[in-house]
Amino acid sequence: MESINWADFEKVDIRVGTIVDVQPFPEARRPAYKLQVDFGDKIGIKKSSAQITDLYAPDELLGKQVLVVVNFPPKQIGPFMSECLVTGLHRADGSVVLSTVDRDVPNGTRLA
């Protein structure tokens, strides 16, 4: 794996946000949800598609704080425009475990 320097890392803007809406995404090639994530007043609410249906039901996602890359350019995913990347970790079976915080922090807080 290629090494990066501190300046490279600083370019990635990872923030905590709260999932405020979860909708099915039947048009996706792989099972996914359409999420709306609230990052507070400065950034607002952004949309994302997430392939997390194996481990998470919509009702358990609402109110969950997640770590999200907010400075990628928007990406068209089928008929949906994703504005950020919700981060997670792949398990051996291919399912994705969300990256979360273990204590509440204000929405929009940047990963340090």
Side-chain angles (χ1 to χ4, degrees):
M1 181 177 296
E2 182 181 347
S3 293
I4 63 171
N5 61 37
W6 186 254
D8 293 330
F9 177 73
E10 286 181 317
K11 292 177 187 176
V12 182
D13 192 355
I14 300 173
R15 306 278 179 141
V16 68
T18 299
I19 297 172
V20 295
D21 189 53
V22 181
Q23 298 296 320
F25 190 7
E27 306 90 351
R29 281 187 265 152
R30 287 185 266 168
Y33 294 127
K34 294 186 280 189
L35 306 177
Q36 289 191 23
V37 184
D38 183 359
F39 297 98
D41 292 337
K42 185 175 177 186
I43 297 172
I45 294 175
K46 289 186 172 263
K47 300 180 294 184
S48 185
S49 170
Q51 297 172 357
I52 54 174
T53 59
D54 289 340
L55 298 179
Y56 300 96
D59 61 327
E60 67 183 301
L61 291 170
L62 287 174
K64 182 179 282 294
Q65 286 196 301
V66 290
L67 295 171
V68 182
V69 179
V70 297
N71 64 333
F72 279 137
K75 181 177 181 180
Q76 190 74 43
I77 302 173
F80 183 75
M81 183 63 75
S82 184
E83 301 171 318
C84 57
L85 175 69
V86 176
T87 64
L89 304 144
H90 284 97
R91 298 190 331 177
D93 65 2
S95 61
V96 176
V97 176
L98 288 171
S99 300
T100 63
V101 293
D102 64 357
R103 302 281 191 278
D104 288 344
V105 294
N107 286 337
T109 301
R110 186 171 182 168
L111 180 72

